[in-house]
C-alpha cells in the first residue's frame, strides 16, 4: 500500500512540474522560485478540487525541503477552517500528510471551525506542532452517507459506510489520545459532538492553544 501511494505521489510531482497547480504556492517577492513562507490553507469544504490543490502544495513544499540540509528545512504550516466534506478526499490528503511528515514537519493550525473530516486533518500534523485557535469550534460525528435503489445495493452501500466509519475511527485513535471506547461513546450519541479548544488539546487532537 505504501509503495502504491509513493508511486502515486511521484506521478503527481511530475504533473506539478508542468501544471498551473503551483499557483497555490506564494512566490517570493524577488522572483525566487521558493516561497518565503511555507504556508498553505484549506478554507473550504473537503472536496476533490480543493484537496488536489492542497496535495500539490504539500508535495511541492516537501520537495523543496528535500533539497536542503536538515537545519535549513522549514516546517509546512497548514491552516484549516472547514465544515468537513468527502471522507474519500479526507483520506487522500491524510495519507499524503502521513508520508510528507516523515521528511518535513507539518504544523497544523485550526481556525474558526474544524469539523467532521477536518478533525482528522488537524490531528494529522506533526506531534507537538498541532495548534488550535482559542475560539475555534471542533466537531466530531459519524460518517454520513445516503443511497437509494435495490435492497441488495443499499445493503452493500451500508457495509461500505460501516467500513469507512471504522477506518476513520482507527485513524483518529492513532493520531490522538482518544481511546476506541471513548470515541465509540461519542459516536453512539448520534449527534454532533462539539469540543472547545481546551477539550481538543486534552483529547490530543491538538497540542497548543493559540
Amino acid at each position: 500500500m505504501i509503495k502504491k501511494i509513493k508511486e502515486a505521489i511521484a506521478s503527481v510531482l511530475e504533473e506539478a512540474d508542468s501544471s498551473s497547480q503551483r499557483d497555490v504556492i506564494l512566490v517570493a517577492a524577488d522572483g525566487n522560485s521558493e516561497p518565503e513562507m511555507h504556508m498553505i490553507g484549506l478554507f473550504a469544504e473537503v472536496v476533490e478540487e480543493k484537496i488536489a490543490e492542497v496535495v500539490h502544495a504539500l508535495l511541492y513544499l516537501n520537495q523543496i525541503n528535500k533539497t536542503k540540509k536538515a537545519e535549513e528545512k522549514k516546517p509546512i504550516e497548514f491552516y484549516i477552517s472547514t465544515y468537513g466534506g468527502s471522507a474519500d478526499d479526507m483520506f487522500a490528503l491524510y495519507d499524503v500528510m502521513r508520508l510528507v511528515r516523515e521528511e518535513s514537519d507539518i504544523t497544523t493550525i485550526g481556525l474558526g471551525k474544524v469539523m467532521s473530516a477536518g478533525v482528522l486533518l488537524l490531528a494529522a500534523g506533526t506531534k507537538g506542532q498541532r495548534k488550535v485557535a482559542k475560539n475555534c469550534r471542533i466537531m466530531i460525528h459519524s460518517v454520513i452517507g445516503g443511497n437509494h435503489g435495490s435492497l441488495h445495493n443499499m445493503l452493500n452501500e451500508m457495509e461500505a459506510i460501516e467500513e469507512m466509519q471504522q477506518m476513520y475511527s482507527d485513524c483518529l485513535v492513532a493520531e490522538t489520545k482518544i481511546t476506541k471506547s471513548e470515541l465509540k461513546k461519542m459516536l453512539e450519541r448520534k449527534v454532533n459532538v462539539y469540543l472547545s479548544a481546551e477539550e481538543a488539546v486534552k483529547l490530543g487532537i491538538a497540542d497548543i492553544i493559540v
Side-chain angles (χ1 to χ4, degrees):
M1 177 63 73
I2 294 296
K3 181 180 179 182
K4 288 182 179 180
I5 293 174
K6 289 185 175 179
E7 288 174 352
I9 287 175
S11 175
V12 170
L13 282 173
E14 277 184 41
E15 179 185 341
D17 283 337
S18 58
S19 169
S20 61
Q21 288 289 354
R22 282 192 175 181
D23 291 343
V24 301
I25 304 296
L26 292 176
V27 177
D30 61 1
N32 195 320
S33 60
E34 180 181 349
E36 293 178 348
M37 295 177 288
H38 288 198
M39 296 193 310
I40 57 178
L42 176 63
F43 292 83
E45 290 189 10
V46 177
V47 293
E48 186 173 20
E49 181 180 344
K50 295 298 181 183
I51 295 306
E53 293 176 358
V54 175
V55 166
H56 275 86
L58 270 172
L59 296 177
Y60 176 55
L61 292 173
N62 184 53
Q63 195 69 17
I64 290 175
N65 272 342
K66 287 168 70 173
T67 66
K68 296 182 175 297
K69 297 178 182 178
E71 64 273 14
E72 296 176 340
K73 292 184 178 182
K74 298 178 182 178
I76 301 171
E77 295 185 4
F78 181 19
Y79 290 83
I80 304 169
S81 181
T82 180
Y83 285 113
S86 165
D88 289 324
D89 294 311
M90 170 197 70
F91 283 126
L93 177 53
Y94 171 63
D95 283 337
V96 171
M97 290 177 71
R98 287 193 306 111
L99 291 174
V100 167
R101 72 188 185 194
E102 292 179 1
E103 300 172 322
S104 298
D105 287 343
I106 301 176
T107 299
T108 50
I109 304 100
L111 301 171
K113 75 276 183 186
V114 176
M115 302 183 179
S116 188
V119 177
L120 179 59
L121 300 180
L122 174 63
T126 301
K127 296 289 192 301
Q129 298 186 34
R130 302 167 303 173
K131 303 176 182 179
V132 60
K134 181 179 180 180
N135 297 305
C136 181
R137 292 194 304 154
I138 292 89
M139 186 271 283
I140 299 174
H141 64 187
S142 299
V143 172
I144 297 174
N147 194 44
H148 64 276
S150 68
L151 176 61
H152 294 297
N153 191 52
M154 291 175 67
L155 289 172
N156 181 66
E157 291 302 310
M158 182 60 71
E159 289 179 4
I161 291 172
E162 289 178 351
E163 288 178 2
M164 186 170 288
Q165 177 64 69
Q166 188 59 54
M167 287 171 60
Y168 177 76
S169 297
D170 290 344
C171 292
L172 200 56
V173 167
E175 299 294 345
T176 68
K177 298 176 184 176
I178 305 173
T179 65
K180 287 185 177 181
S181 60
E182 287 174 335
L183 185 56
K184 184 178 180 181
K185 288 179 181 178
M186 285 185 192
L187 299 179
E188 284 180 345
R189 290 165 59 182
K190 298 180 181 180
V191 295
N192 296 336
V193 179
Y194 289 92
L195 305 169
S196 65
E198 290 79 7
E199 289 171 323
V201 170
K202 184 177 180 181
L203 291 173
I205 296 169
D207 305 299
I208 304 167
I209 297 175
V210 295

